[in-house]
Amino acid sequence: MKISVVKELKEGEGRVAETPENVKKLVDAGNEVLVDNNAGIGSGFTNEEYEAAGAKIVTPEEAWSADLVLKVKEPDKAEYKYFTEGKVVWGFQHLASSKETVEAMMKAGTTAIGAETIFIDGKLALLAPMSAIAGRRSVLQGAAYLEAEHGGEGILLPGLPQFGIPAGYVVIFGGGSAATNAADMALGIGCHVSIIEKNPDRIKWLEENYSGQDVTVLESNDDTLSSEIKKADLFISTILIPGARPPKLVTEEMVKSMKPGSVIVDVAIDQGGTVETMHPTTIDEPTYIKHGVVHYGVPNQPGAVPRTATMGLAAGNIDFLLEIGERGIVDAIKTNEALASGVNVYEGKVTNEGLAKSLDLPYVDLNSVL
């Protein structure tokens, strides 16, 4: 199969879909691999390293001519012109936030595999390392933007406990991978952490996992959320519905009730986010202030640490890509349930039910079109 690695166009994005090590694995398996010129430079991987792995360095147009196009993030509007019938695009698609992209794929007959919707043993395994990075960075960024020079309330998030000055109060909405990584970081610097979660089994796990630590686990409802958000110095929303756009559970009135200079980080803003007052920002201009609250809405947080993130995502995707290269896309989907769970659009038809509902588009069962 002809497989390509394209350079990301999103502002501030330095990740690349494959490492030279993985490219060599694909080439050794008999695939032809094209790498967009300087696609890996942001992650510290040079053209020469890809060439040594057996790839050919090409232009963007040549890269997009491949059968299987590997990306990190969803396609940019400037890349819609490359969509063609039968082409397969792999990446963290987060298509629920871009109806325009989905409609362009539908018109062209393109297939989109979203790594963020691939389930392995009931877990979003490929998304997990990116969620971990985003969760950890949310605390680091929150600590920075609580400083007065950024419009924050002027507190040091870890406090000065040796002088009787307490650490800040961190509220985490959701209890998944991003949430626990954020909690671990916040606890590590001495903060009190409150986690708001809906699933009873997950609540039990969180209570057992954080037993004896400065963590309060609360059942999610409007009253709990309204009460906790008022106390927060740093509020981190991690709510993600695979393939679908989540509801705006954090209302504008809740945001208005927060402390002046407090900080909100919405980890899942690339899927639409849960905070009513939040809109996507960029790594170069990551924040804005509304109702006196600092809003951090970067949709590609892992892109700020591209080398770490690239190695994490590449470790997760290589087995799937080798299987697609060996068996072809149809046979690979038919025989690999995890891979099938990642198919959001197949030859122009929306095959992820949550995505179809979110965008009010026709849904087609994947098995009916294979």
Side-chain angles (χ1 to χ4, degrees):
M1 180 176 283
K2 184 184 288 188
I3 302 172
S4 68
V5 179
V6 301
K7 185 175 176 62
E8 299 300 312
L9 299 183
K10 183 178 285 290
E11 186 177 358
E13 181 59 73
R15 288 175 291 178
V16 62
E18 285 308 325
T19 60
E21 179 183 4
N22 275 7
V23 165
K24 186 175 188 306
K25 291 178 182 178
L26 291 168
V27 171
D28 288 348
N31 300 288
E32 179 185 359
V33 180
L34 310 176
V35 176
D36 199 346
N37 184 41
N38 288 327
I41 204 71
S43 296
F45 300 116
T46 65
N47 286 346
E48 289 74 20
E49 289 176 277
Y50 285 108
E51 287 178 316
K56 179 183 177 182
I57 304 301
V58 298
T59 65
E61 290 76 14
E62 291 174 293
W64 274 95
S65 72
D67 307 305
L68 173 60
V69 176
L70 309 182
K71 286 182 54 56
V72 177
K73 291 296 291 177
E74 68 282 350
D76 185 88
K77 187 174 182 179
E79 295 170 318
Y80 295 174
K81 62 186 177 184
Y82 299 124
F83 293 167
T84 56
E85 186 174 353
K87 187 178 299 296
V88 180
V89 182
W90 172 288
F92 291 112
Q93 307 281 357
H94 295 290
L95 295 173
S97 62
S98 180
K99 188 173 185 177
E100 184 181 17
T101 305
V102 177
E103 289 178 332
M105 290 176 168
M106 293 173 70
K107 182 178 180 180
T110 294
T111 295
I113 300 178
E116 77 281 1
T117 65
I118 289 179
F119 282 89
I120 301 176
D121 296 329
K123 298 180 180 179
L124 295 170
L126 274 67
L127 187 62
M130 301 303 105
S131 296
I133 291 171
R136 290 170 181 264
R137 282 196 82 251
S138 293
V139 175
L140 298 176
Q141 296 304 300
Y145 288 103
L146 280 166
E147 295 176 0
E149 66 175 306
H150 300 300
E153 59 183 292
I155 68 166
L156 183 66
L157 189 58
L160 292 171
Q162 69 271 42
F163 298 110
I165 302 170
Y169 193 93
V170 178
V171 178
I172 302 171
F173 189 27
S177 176
T180 55
N181 276 274
D184 292 345
M185 284 292 288
L187 288 169
I189 59 174
C191 297
H192 172 78
V193 175
S194 172
I195 303 176
I196 302 172
E197 169 60 35
K198 183 177 182 179
N199 184 289
D201 292 336
R202 189 61 177 176
I203 289 173
K204 182 179 179 182
W205 183 92
L206 291 165
E207 289 174 337
E208 292 173 351
N209 187 66
Y210 289 110
S211 177
Q213 300 184 64
D214 195 8
V215 176
T216 303
V217 181
L218 300 167
E219 182 179 355
S220 180
N221 56 56
D222 285 345
D223 290 340
T224 298
L225 187 55
S226 296
S227 174
E228 287 298 295
I229 202 168
K230 293 175 184 176
K231 305 174 190 175
D233 297 297
L234 171 59
F235 180 86
I236 302 172
S237 179
T238 68
I239 302 296
L240 174 72
I241 302 174
R245 181 185 289 269
K248 299 298 183 183
L249 300 170
V250 181
T251 66
E252 186 162 6
E253 289 305 310
M254 291 179 186
V255 175
K256 288 179 179 179
S257 75
M258 295 179 71
K259 300 177 186 178
S262 56
V263 176
I264 299 176
V265 179
D266 196 333
V267 171
I269 189 64
D270 47 6
Q271 195 76 1
T274 57
V275 180
E276 191 172 21
T277 54
M278 185 72 72
H279 62 71
T281 59
T282 67
I283 289 173
D284 290 338
E285 296 184 24
T287 65
Y288 59 92
I289 297 175
K290 187 165 185 176
H291 303 311
V293 176
V294 180
H295 289 58
Y296 182 97
V298 175
N300 58 325
Q301 279 208 58
V305 286
R307 191 166 180 93
T308 297
T310 290
M311 290 188 288
L313 69 87
N317 68 26
I318 186 59
D319 288 342
F320 291 105
L321 303 178
L322 287 168
E323 185 170 356
I324 293 171
E326 179 183 354
R327 305 176 68 91
I329 186 65
V330 175
D331 282 350
I333 292 171
K334 285 182 175 180
T335 56
N336 190 322
E337 185 178 348
L339 179 60
S341 68
V343 181
N344 285 231
V345 181
Y346 182 78
E347 294 188 347
K349 300 174 180 64
V350 180
T351 54
N352 181 292
E353 190 170 6
L355 176 62
K357 287 182 178 179
S358 293
L359 301 182
D360 193 25
L361 292 170
Y363 164 70
V364 178
D365 182 81
L366 177 61
N367 292 319
S368 71
V369 293
L370 288 176

